[in-house]
Amino acid sequence: MDIDDLLQEFDDNSVPAGTRDINDLTQAWIAERTAPEILPFQSDLLERLMDRVRQQIDRHAIYILTTPAIRGRLSAPELSYLKSHLALLNSHFLSSFLRNFPEQLRRLDDKAGGISMVEEPDLDGAVFCKVVKDVEDRSVRIPGTDAEFELKRGDVFVVRYSAVREFVLSGEVELI
């Protein structure tokens, strides 16, 4: 092993997995677009990316299924995964402990007593974002505060997701 091997190993380990996946995906896309033939399928890379999507689905499965606007964002395979995941989860919970509960307490999406059993995403969590298009005549107000700011192309912020959500969904702001 020489110094180049050591440096390469250090470089590979110092890049976060998400960044490495983005770089690999970009490289695969460029190679596929410029190659004169079909290149080998990047199954490991796509599986890692799909694992991330599945983790998001797993974390908020019932919320996604019961919220039509969010459910409509899923592809057919993602929706199929969501339904099979929930079926397995429900079956596991029933066989483990729910069967011992009264019938009216066995639902995973119960909202009895004013408390929802459905875990929703934390839209007030902090995100890093970059403004990719100027947002004219609208300033952003951070919910629950008096803080307000303008979105100018190239600006980078750490802000509550809820403050920039509409701009992320419209493509004016990207999460980084």
Side-chain angles (χ1 to χ4, degrees), residues 118-153:
V118 177
E119 182 181 350
E120 296 183 11
D122 179 13
L123 300 181
D124 284 329
V127 295
F128 287 87
C129 63
K130 180 178 180 180
V131 182
V132 293
K133 298 177 187 170
D134 283 330
V135 178
E136 301 290 329
D137 301 324
R138 290 188 291 175
S139 57
V140 174
R141 183 174 205 73
I142 300 177
T145 72
D146 293 333
E148 196 171 298
F149 57 94
E150 305 265 325
L151 295 175
K152 301 228 183 282
R153 188 170 192 251

PDB file of all heavy atoms in Angstrom, residues 118-153:
ATOM      1  N   VAL A 118     -51.131   9.055  14.742  1.00  0.00           N
ATOM      2  CA  VAL A 118     -50.411   9.191  13.485  1.00  0.00           C
ATOM      3  C   VAL A 118     -49.291  10.212  13.653  1.00  0.00           C
ATOM      4  O   VAL A 118     -49.524  11.369  13.980  1.00  0.00           O
ATOM      5  CB  VAL A 118     -51.366   9.634  12.349  1.00  0.00           C
ATOM      6  CG1 VAL A 118     -50.607   9.841  11.065  1.00  0.00           C
ATOM      7  CG2 VAL A 118     -52.474   8.621  12.178  1.00  0.00           C
ATOM      8  N   GLU A 119     -48.068   9.757  13.433  1.00  0.00           N
ATOM      9  CA  GLU A 119     -46.914  10.651  13.536  1.00  0.00           C
ATOM     10  C   GLU A 119     -46.764  11.428  12.234  1.00  0.00           C
ATOM     11  O   GLU A 119     -46.630  10.852  11.164  1.00  0.00           O
ATOM     12  CB  GLU A 119     -45.647   9.858  13.817  1.00  0.00           C
ATOM     13  CG  GLU A 119     -44.430  10.741  13.991  1.00  0.00           C
ATOM     14  CD  GLU A 119     -43.156   9.961  14.243  1.00  0.00           C
ATOM     15  OE1 GLU A 119     -43.223   8.743  14.463  1.00  0.00           O
ATOM     16  OE2 GLU A 119     -42.098  10.589  14.195  1.00  0.00           O
ATOM     17  N   GLU A 120     -46.807  12.740  12.358  1.00  0.00           N
ATOM     18  CA  GLU A 120     -46.655  13.607  11.194  1.00  0.00           C
ATOM     19  C   GLU A 120     -45.216  14.096  11.097  1.00  0.00           C
ATOM     20  O   GLU A 120     -44.520  14.184  12.113  1.00  0.00           O
ATOM     21  CB  GLU A 120     -47.602  14.807  11.303  1.00  0.00           C
ATOM     22  CG  GLU A 120     -49.061  14.403  11.284  1.00  0.00           C
ATOM     23  CD  GLU A 120     -50.010  15.598  11.325  1.00  0.00           C
ATOM     24  OE1 GLU A 120     -49.544  16.745  11.159  1.00  0.00           O
ATOM     25  OE2 GLU A 120     -51.206  15.364  11.519  1.00  0.00           O
ATOM     26  N   PRO A 121     -44.773  14.431   9.901  1.00  0.00           N
ATOM     27  CA  PRO A 121     -43.413  14.982   9.770  1.00  0.00           C
ATOM     28  C   PRO A 121     -43.298  16.314  10.504  1.00  0.00           C
ATOM     29  O   PRO A 121     -44.274  17.056  10.613  1.00  0.00           O
ATOM     30  CB  PRO A 121     -43.245  15.186   8.264  1.00  0.00           C
ATOM     31  CG  PRO A 121     -44.463  14.694   7.608  1.00  0.00           C
ATOM     32  CD  PRO A 121     -45.464  14.321   8.639  1.00  0.00           C
ATOM     33  N   ASP A 122     -42.106  16.604  10.995  1.00  0.00           N
ATOM     34  CA  ASP A 122     -41.847  17.858  11.693  1.00  0.00           C
ATOM     35  C   ASP A 122     -41.520  18.933  10.663  1.00  0.00           C
ATOM     36  O   ASP A 122     -40.370  19.090  10.259  1.00  0.00           O
ATOM     37  CB  ASP A 122     -40.690  17.692  12.675  1.00  0.00           C
ATOM     38  CG  ASP A 122     -40.355  18.974  13.407  1.00  0.00           C
ATOM     39  OD1 ASP A 122     -41.158  19.934  13.347  1.00  0.00           O
ATOM     40  OD2 ASP A 122     -39.280  19.027  14.043  1.00  0.00           O
ATOM     41  N   LEU A 123     -42.531  19.670  10.242  1.00  0.00           N
ATOM     42  CA  LEU A 123     -42.334  20.696   9.226  1.00  0.00           C
ATOM     43  C   LEU A 123     -41.632  21.934   9.777  1.00  0.00           C
ATOM     44  O   LEU A 123     -41.224  22.800   9.016  1.00  0.00           O
ATOM     45  CB  LEU A 123     -43.672  21.084   8.595  1.00  0.00           C
ATOM     46  CG  LEU A 123     -44.420  19.951   7.893  1.00  0.00           C
ATOM     47  CD1 LEU A 123     -45.721  20.463   7.282  1.00  0.00           C
ATOM     48  CD2 LEU A 123     -43.567  19.273   6.837  1.00  0.00           C
ATOM     49  N   ASP A 124     -41.463  21.997  11.097  1.00  0.00           N
ATOM     50  CA  ASP A 124     -40.746  23.118  11.693  1.00  0.00           C
ATOM     51  C   ASP A 124     -39.277  22.794  11.944  1.00  0.00           C
ATOM     52  O   ASP A 124     -38.553  23.608  12.510  1.00  0.00           O
ATOM     53  CB  ASP A 124     -41.417  23.565  12.995  1.00  0.00           C
ATOM     54  CG  ASP A 124     -42.684  24.356  12.735  1.00  0.00           C
ATOM     55  OD1 ASP A 124     -42.749  25.048  11.702  1.00  0.00           O
ATOM     56  OD2 ASP A 124     -43.614  24.273  13.552  1.00  0.00           O
ATOM     57  N   GLY A 125     -38.839  21.633  11.513  1.00  0.00           N
ATOM     58  CA  GLY A 125     -37.433  21.271  11.653  1.00  0.00           C
ATOM     59  C   GLY A 125     -36.560  22.152  10.767  1.00  0.00           C
ATOM     60  O   GLY A 125     -37.000  22.654   9.732  1.00  0.00           O
ATOM     61  N   ALA A 126     -35.324  22.343  11.185  1.00  0.00           N
ATOM     62  CA  ALA A 126     -34.396  23.195  10.431  1.00  0.00           C
ATOM     63  C   ALA A 126     -33.868  22.471   9.196  1.00  0.00           C
ATOM     64  O   ALA A 126     -33.605  21.270   9.240  1.00  0.00           O
ATOM     65  CB  ALA A 126     -33.242  23.610  11.322  1.00  0.00           C
ATOM     66  N   VAL A 127     -33.741  23.222   8.107  1.00  0.00           N
ATOM     67  CA  VAL A 127     -33.169  22.705   6.866  1.00  0.00           C
ATOM     68  C   VAL A 127     -32.189  23.737   6.307  1.00  0.00           C
ATOM     69  O   VAL A 127     -32.297  24.930   6.581  1.00  0.00           O
ATOM     70  CB  VAL A 127     -34.245  22.401   5.794  1.00  0.00           C
ATOM     71  CG1 VAL A 127     -35.155  21.276   6.231  1.00  0.00           C
ATOM     72  CG2 VAL A 127     -35.048  23.642   5.437  1.00  0.00           C
ATOM     73  N   PHE A 128     -31.239  23.255   5.532  1.00  0.00           N
ATOM     74  CA  PHE A 128     -30.376  24.131   4.755  1.00  0.00           C
ATOM     75  C   PHE A 128     -31.022  24.258   3.388  1.00  0.00           C
ATOM     76  O   PHE A 128     -31.456  23.253   2.806  1.00  0.00           O
ATOM     77  CB  PHE A 128     -28.978  23.525   4.589  1.00  0.00           C
ATOM     78  CG  PHE A 128     -28.154  23.549   5.833  1.00  0.00           C
ATOM     79  CD1 PHE A 128     -28.240  22.521   6.759  1.00  0.00           C
ATOM     80  CD2 PHE A 128     -27.285  24.600   6.077  1.00  0.00           C
ATOM     81  CE1 PHE A 128     -27.481  22.529   7.911  1.00  0.00           C
ATOM     82  CE2 PHE A 128     -26.512  24.621   7.227  1.00  0.00           C
ATOM     83  CZ  PHE A 128     -26.608  23.585   8.148  1.00  0.00           C
ATOM     84  N   CYS A 129     -31.091  25.465   2.883  1.00  0.00           N
ATOM     85  CA  CYS A 129     -31.694  25.640   1.570  1.00  0.00           C
ATOM     86  C   CYS A 129     -30.969  26.723   0.787  1.00  0.00           C
ATOM     87  O   CYS A 129     -30.303  27.591   1.358  1.00  0.00           O
ATOM     88  CB  CYS A 129     -33.177  25.970   1.684  1.00  0.00           C
ATOM     89  SG  CYS A 129     -33.530  27.520   2.517  1.00  0.00           S
ATOM     90  N   LYS A 130     -31.098  26.639  -0.536  1.00  0.00           N
ATOM     91  CA  LYS A 130     -30.487  27.607  -1.442  1.00  0.00           C
ATOM     92  C   LYS A 130     -31.571  28.132  -2.365  1.00  0.00           C
ATOM     93  O   LYS A 130     -32.350  27.349  -2.928  1.00  0.00           O
ATOM     94  CB  LYS A 130     -29.380  26.948  -2.254  1.00  0.00           C
ATOM     95  CG  LYS A 130     -28.704  27.888  -3.226  1.00  0.00           C
ATOM     96  CD  LYS A 130     -27.589  27.196  -3.979  1.00  0.00           C
ATOM     97  CE  LYS A 130     -26.930  28.173  -4.935  1.00  0.00           C
ATOM     98  NZ  LYS A 130     -25.845  27.544  -5.682  1.00  0.00           N
ATOM     99  N   VAL A 131     -31.609  29.436  -2.539  1.00  0.00           N
ATOM    100  CA  VAL A 131     -32.578  30.066  -3.423  1.00  0.00           C
ATOM    101  C   VAL A 131     -32.049  29.939  -4.849  1.00  0.00           C
ATOM    102  O   VAL A 131     -30.946  30.377  -5.149  1.00  0.00           O
ATOM    103  CB  VAL A 131     -32.796  31.553  -3.047  1.00  0.00           C
ATOM    104  CG1 VAL A 131     -33.845  32.181  -3.947  1.00  0.00           C
ATOM    105  CG2 VAL A 131     -33.178  31.692  -1.584  1.00  0.00           C
ATOM    106  N   VAL A 132     -32.836  29.315  -5.736  1.00  0.00           N
ATOM    107  CA  VAL A 132     -32.396  29.112  -7.115  1.00  0.00           C
ATOM    108  C   VAL A 132     -33.077  30.074  -8.088  1.00  0.00           C
ATOM    109  O   VAL A 132     -32.649  30.209  -9.225  1.00  0.00           O
ATOM    110  CB  VAL A 132     -32.596  27.649  -7.575  1.00  0.00           C
ATOM    111  CG1 VAL A 132     -31.668  26.722  -6.797  1.00  0.00           C
ATOM    112  CG2 VAL A 132     -34.032  27.205  -7.438  1.00  0.00           C
ATOM    113  N   LYS A 133     -34.141  30.743  -7.635  1.00  0.00           N
ATOM    114  CA  LYS A 133     -34.838  31.746  -8.444  1.00  0.00           C
ATOM    115  C   LYS A 133     -35.223  32.895  -7.531  1.00  0.00           C
ATOM    116  O   LYS A 133     -35.656  32.669  -6.394  1.00  0.00           O
ATOM    117  CB  LYS A 133     -36.118  31.178  -9.068  1.00  0.00           C
ATOM    118  CG  LYS A 133     -35.916  30.041 -10.025  1.00  0.00           C
ATOM    119  CD  LYS A 133     -37.262  29.527 -10.519  1.00  0.00           C
ATOM    120  CE  LYS A 133     -37.086  28.275 -11.346  1.00  0.00           C
ATOM    121  NZ  LYS A 133     -38.356  27.628 -11.625  1.00  0.00           N
ATOM    122  N   ASP A 134     -35.073  34.114  -8.021  1.00  0.00           N
ATOM    123  CA  ASP A 134     -35.529  35.256  -7.232  1.00  0.00           C
ATOM    124  C   ASP A 134     -37.021  35.130  -6.975  1.00  0.00           C
ATOM    125  O   ASP A 134     -37.788  34.746  -7.863  1.00  0.00           O
ATOM    126  CB  ASP A 134     -35.272  36.575  -7.972  1.00  0.00           C
ATOM    127  CG  ASP A 134     -33.815  37.002  -7.900  1.00  0.00           C
ATOM    128  OD1 ASP A 134     -33.148  36.681  -6.901  1.00  0.00           O
ATOM    129  OD2 ASP A 134     -33.347  37.672  -8.836  1.00  0.00           O
ATOM    130  N   VAL A 135     -37.426  35.414  -5.746  1.00  0.00           N
ATOM    131  CA  VAL A 135     -38.836  35.393  -5.382  1.00  0.00           C
ATOM    132  C   VAL A 135     -39.262  36.848  -5.252  1.00  0.00           C
ATOM    133  O   VAL A 135     -38.913  37.536  -4.289  1.00  0.00           O
ATOM    134  CB  VAL A 135     -39.063  34.617  -4.070  1.00  0.00           C
ATOM    135  CG1 VAL A 135     -40.532  34.643  -3.685  1.00  0.00           C
ATOM    136  CG2 VAL A 135     -38.576  33.180  -4.209  1.00  0.00           C
ATOM    137  N   GLU A 136     -39.987  37.333  -6.247  1.00  0.00           N
ATOM    138  CA  GLU A 136     -40.379  38.745  -6.322  1.00  0.00           C
ATOM    139  C   GLU A 136     -41.572  39.044  -5.424  1.00  0.00           C
ATOM    140  O   GLU A 136     -42.487  38.239  -5.306  1.00  0.00           O
ATOM    141  CB  GLU A 136     -40.754  39.111  -7.770  1.00  0.00           C
ATOM    142  CG  GLU A 136     -39.631  38.895  -8.765  1.00  0.00           C
ATOM    143  CD  GLU A 136     -38.489  39.874  -8.605  1.00  0.00           C
ATOM    144  OE1 GLU A 136     -38.741  41.024  -8.194  1.00  0.00           O
ATOM    145  OE2 GLU A 136     -37.342  39.483  -8.891  1.00  0.00           O
ATOM    146  N   ASP A 137     -41.552  40.202  -4.836  1.00  0.00           N
ATOM    147  CA  ASP A 137     -42.687  40.767  -4.094  1.00  0.00           C
ATOM    148  C   ASP A 137     -43.237  39.875  -2.986  1.00  0.00           C
ATOM    149  O   ASP A 137     -44.405  39.987  -2.637  1.00  0.00           O
ATOM    150  CB  ASP A 137     -43.834  41.131  -5.058  1.00  0.00           C
ATOM    151  CG  ASP A 137     -43.396  42.141  -6.100  1.00  0.00           C
ATOM    152  OD1 ASP A 137     -42.581  43.022  -5.760  1.00  0.00           O
ATOM    153  OD2 ASP A 137     -43.874  42.036  -7.238  1.00  0.00           O
ATOM    154  N   ARG A 138     -42.446  38.964  -2.486  1.00  0.00           N
ATOM    155  CA  ARG A 138     -42.889  38.140  -1.360  1.00  0.00           C
ATOM    156  C   ARG A 138     -41.718  37.965  -0.403  1.00  0.00           C
ATOM    157  O   ARG A 138     -40.647  37.555  -0.815  1.00  0.00           O
ATOM    158  CB  ARG A 138     -43.348  36.756  -1.826  1.00  0.00           C
ATOM    159  CG  ARG A 138     -44.646  36.785  -2.606  1.00  0.00           C
ATOM    160  CD  ARG A 138     -45.140  35.396  -2.856  1.00  0.00           C
ATOM    161  NE  ARG A 138     -44.241  34.723  -3.807  1.00  0.00           N
ATOM    162  CZ  ARG A 138     -44.346  33.467  -4.167  1.00  0.00           C
ATOM    163  NH1 ARG A 138     -45.283  32.716  -3.664  1.00  0.00           N
ATOM    164  NH2 ARG A 138     -43.516  32.938  -5.034  1.00  0.00           N
ATOM    165  N   SER A 139     -41.947  38.280   0.836  1.00  0.00           N
ATOM    166  CA  SER A 139     -40.922  38.003   1.841  1.00  0.00           C
ATOM    167  C   SER A 139     -41.378  36.773   2.626  1.00  0.00           C
ATOM    168  O   SER A 139     -42.549  36.450   2.679  1.00  0.00           O
ATOM    169  CB  SER A 139     -40.713  39.204   2.754  1.00  0.00           C
ATOM    170  OG  SER A 139     -41.920  39.568   3.364  1.00  0.00           O
ATOM    171  N   VAL A 140     -40.412  36.123   3.204  1.00  0.00           N
ATOM    172  CA  VAL A 140     -40.683  34.907   3.951  1.00  0.00           C
ATOM    173  C   VAL A 140     -40.785  35.259   5.425  1.00  0.00           C
ATOM    174  O   VAL A 140     -39.935  35.953   5.971  1.00  0.00           O
ATOM    175  CB  VAL A 140     -39.557  33.880   3.730  1.00  0.00           C
ATOM    176  CG1 VAL A 140     -39.764  32.668   4.610  1.00  0.00           C
ATOM    177  CG2 VAL A 140     -39.492  33.481   2.274  1.00  0.00           C
ATOM    178  N   ARG A 141     -41.826  34.777   6.042  1.00  0.00           N
ATOM    179  CA  ARG A 141     -42.032  35.002   7.472  1.00  0.00           C
ATOM    180  C   ARG A 141     -41.896  33.651   8.165  1.00  0.00           C
ATOM    181  O   ARG A 141     -42.511  32.666   7.754  1.00  0.00           O
ATOM    182  CB  ARG A 141     -43.413  35.585   7.711  1.00  0.00           C
ATOM    183  CG  ARG A 141     -43.695  35.909   9.144  1.00  0.00           C
ATOM    184  CD  ARG A 141     -45.053  36.617   9.239  1.00  0.00           C
ATOM    185  NE  ARG A 141     -45.157  37.447  10.398  1.00  0.00           N
ATOM    186  CZ  ARG A 141     -44.546  38.607  10.584  1.00  0.00           C
ATOM    187  NH1 ARG A 141     -43.779  39.097   9.653  1.00  0.00           N
ATOM    188  NH2 ARG A 141     -44.708  39.289  11.690  1.00  0.00           N
ATOM    189  N   ILE A 142     -41.094  33.632   9.214  1.00  0.00           N
ATOM    190  CA  ILE A 142     -40.903  32.397   9.963  1.00  0.00           C
ATOM    191  C   ILE A 142     -42.068  32.254  10.939  1.00  0.00           C
ATOM    192  O   ILE A 142     -42.272  33.132  11.782  1.00  0.00           O
ATOM    193  CB  ILE A 142     -39.553  32.390  10.696  1.00  0.00           C
ATOM    194  CG1 ILE A 142     -38.425  32.517   9.670  1.00  0.00           C
ATOM    195  CG2 ILE A 142     -39.404  31.125  11.530  1.00  0.00           C
ATOM    196  CD1 ILE A 142     -37.048  32.598  10.264  1.00  0.00           C
ATOM    197  N   PRO A 143     -42.861  31.183  10.802  1.00  0.00           N
ATOM    198  CA  PRO A 143     -44.033  31.000  11.672  1.00  0.00           C
ATOM    199  C   PRO A 143     -43.675  31.075  13.154  1.00  0.00           C
ATOM    200  O   PRO A 143     -42.667  30.536  13.584  1.00  0.00           O
ATOM    201  CB  PRO A 143     -44.523  29.594  11.304  1.00  0.00           C
ATOM    202  CG  PRO A 143     -43.980  29.331   9.942  1.00  0.00           C
ATOM    203  CD  PRO A 143     -42.677  30.069   9.876  1.00  0.00           C
ATOM    204  N   GLY A 144     -44.495  31.809  13.890  1.00  0.00           N
ATOM    205  CA  GLY A 144     -44.306  31.923  15.326  1.00  0.00           C
ATOM    206  C   GLY A 144     -43.284  32.960  15.756  1.00  0.00           C
ATOM    207  O   GLY A 144     -42.968  33.067  16.928  1.00  0.00           O
ATOM    208  N   THR A 145     -42.732  33.709  14.788  1.00  0.00           N
ATOM    209  CA  THR A 145     -41.751  34.746  15.119  1.00  0.00           C
ATOM    210  C   THR A 145     -42.066  36.003  14.323  1.00  0.00           C
ATOM    211  O   THR A 145     -42.950  36.012  13.469  1.00  0.00           O
ATOM    212  CB  THR A 145     -40.316  34.310  14.756  1.00  0.00           C
ATOM    213  OG1 THR A 145     -40.169  34.317  13.332  1.00  0.00           O
ATOM    214  CG2 THR A 145     -39.990  32.930  15.295  1.00  0.00           C
ATOM    215  N   ASP A 146     -41.313  37.057  14.606  1.00  0.00           N
ATOM    216  CA  ASP A 146     -41.421  38.283  13.814  1.00  0.00           C
ATOM    217  C   ASP A 146     -40.372  38.322  12.710  1.00  0.00           C
ATOM    218  O   ASP A 146     -40.276  39.297  11.969  1.00  0.00           O
ATOM    219  CB  ASP A 146     -41.241  39.511  14.718  1.00  0.00           C
ATOM    220  CG  ASP A 146     -42.399  39.650  15.703  1.00  0.00           C
ATOM    221  OD1 ASP A 146     -43.500  39.171  15.372  1.00  0.00           O
ATOM    222  OD2 ASP A 146     -42.192  40.223  16.782  1.00  0.00           O
ATOM    223  N   ALA A 147     -39.558  37.269  12.608  1.00  0.00           N
ATOM    224  CA  ALA A 147     -38.473  37.237  11.625  1.00  0.00           C
ATOM    225  C   ALA A 147     -39.030  37.162  10.209  1.00  0.00           C
ATOM    226  O   ALA A 147     -39.948  36.393   9.928  1.00  0.00           O
ATOM    227  CB  ALA A 147     -37.552  36.056  11.899  1.00  0.00           C
ATOM    228  N   GLU A 148     -38.441  37.962   9.347  1.00  0.00           N
ATOM    229  CA  GLU A 148     -38.874  38.038   7.954  1.00  0.00           C
ATOM    230  C   GLU A 148     -37.635  38.282   7.092  1.00  0.00           C
ATOM    231  O   GLU A 148     -36.730  39.004   7.494  1.00  0.00           O
ATOM    232  CB  GLU A 148     -39.847  39.214   7.819  1.00  0.00           C
ATOM    233  CG  GLU A 148     -40.664  39.198   6.566  1.00  0.00           C
ATOM    234  CD  GLU A 148     -41.747  40.264   6.616  1.00  0.00           C
ATOM    235  OE1 GLU A 148     -42.620  40.186   7.507  1.00  0.00           O
ATOM    236  OE2 GLU A 148     -41.700  41.155   5.767  1.00  0.00           O
ATOM    237  N   PHE A 149     -37.585  37.661   5.905  1.00  0.00           N
ATOM    238  CA  PHE A 149     -36.436  37.870   5.027  1.00  0.00           C
ATOM    239  C   PHE A 149     -36.849  37.688   3.571  1.00  0.00           C
ATOM    240  O   PHE A 149     -37.885  37.108   3.269  1.00  0.00           O
ATOM    241  CB  PHE A 149     -35.269  36.940   5.394  1.00  0.00           C
ATOM    242  CG  PHE A 149     -35.621  35.476   5.361  1.00  0.00           C
ATOM    243  CD1 PHE A 149     -35.387  34.706   4.237  1.00  0.00           C
ATOM    244  CD2 PHE A 149     -36.173  34.853   6.470  1.00  0.00           C
ATOM    245  CE1 PHE A 149     -35.703  33.364   4.209  1.00  0.00           C
ATOM    246  CE2 PHE A 149     -36.484  33.510   6.467  1.00  0.00           C
ATOM    247  CZ  PHE A 149     -36.248  32.762   5.326  1.00  0.00           C
ATOM    248  N   GLU A 150     -36.016  38.224   2.680  1.00  0.00           N
ATOM    249  CA  GLU A 150     -36.243  38.151   1.234  1.00  0.00           C
ATOM    250  C   GLU A 150     -35.496  36.941   0.672  1.00  0.00           C
ATOM    251  O   GLU A 150     -34.453  36.555   1.201  1.00  0.00           O
ATOM    252  CB  GLU A 150     -35.706  39.416   0.555  1.00  0.00           C
ATOM    253  CG  GLU A 150     -36.268  40.694   1.111  1.00  0.00           C
ATOM    254  CD  GLU A 150     -37.458  41.196   0.325  1.00  0.00           C
ATOM    255  OE1 GLU A 150     -37.467  41.012  -0.896  1.00  0.00           O
ATOM    256  OE2 GLU A 150     -38.376  41.741   0.962  1.00  0.00           O
ATOM    257  N   LEU A 151     -36.009  36.388  -0.396  1.00  0.00           N
ATOM    258  CA  LEU A 151     -35.350  35.271  -1.076  1.00  0.00           C
ATOM    259  C   LEU A 151     -34.743  35.781  -2.379  1.00  0.00           C
ATOM    260  O   LEU A 151     -35.456  36.081  -3.329  1.00  0.00           O
ATOM    261  CB  LEU A 151     -36.350  34.148  -1.359  1.00  0.00           C
ATOM    262  CG  LEU A 151     -36.948  33.459  -0.144  1.00  0.00           C
ATOM    263  CD1 LEU A 151     -38.003  32.458  -0.567  1.00  0.00           C
ATOM    264  CD2 LEU A 151     -35.875  32.768   0.679  1.00  0.00           C
ATOM    265  N   LYS A 152     -33.432  35.877  -2.406  1.00  0.00           N
ATOM    266  CA  LYS A 152     -32.713  36.328  -3.591  1.00  0.00           C
ATOM    267  C   LYS A 152     -31.862  35.180  -4.114  1.00  0.00           C
ATOM    268  O   LYS A 152     -31.237  34.449  -3.342  1.00  0.00           O
ATOM    269  CB  LYS A 152     -31.827  37.521  -3.250  1.00  0.00           C
ATOM    270  CG  LYS A 152     -32.586  38.704  -2.701  1.00  0.00           C
ATOM    271  CD  LYS A 152     -32.164  39.966  -3.403  1.00  0.00           C
ATOM    272  CE  LYS A 152     -32.847  41.174  -2.829  1.00  0.00           C
ATOM    273  NZ  LYS A 152     -34.188  41.351  -3.245  1.00  0.00           N
ATOM    274  N   ARG A 153     -31.844  35.018  -5.422  1.00  0.00           N
ATOM    275  CA  ARG A 153     -31.116  33.921  -6.059  1.00  0.00           C
ATOM    276  C   ARG A 153     -29.682  33.844  -5.539  1.00  0.00           C
ATOM    277  O   ARG A 153     -28.981  34.840  -5.459  1.00  0.00           O
ATOM    278  CB  ARG A 153     -31.095  34.120  -7.573  1.00  0.00           C
ATOM    279  CG  ARG A 153     -30.528  32.943  -8.306  1.00  0.00           C
ATOM    280  CD  ARG A 153     -30.755  33.109  -9.794  1.00  0.00           C
ATOM    281  NE  ARG A 153     -30.468  31.883 -10.456  1.00  0.00           N
ATOM    282  CZ  ARG A 153     -29.399  31.706 -11.236  1.00  0.00           C
ATOM    283  NH1 ARG A 153     -28.565  32.685 -11.445  1.00  0.00           N
ATOM    284  NH2 ARG A 153     -29.202  30.545 -11.803  1.00  0.00           N
TER     285      ARG A 153
END
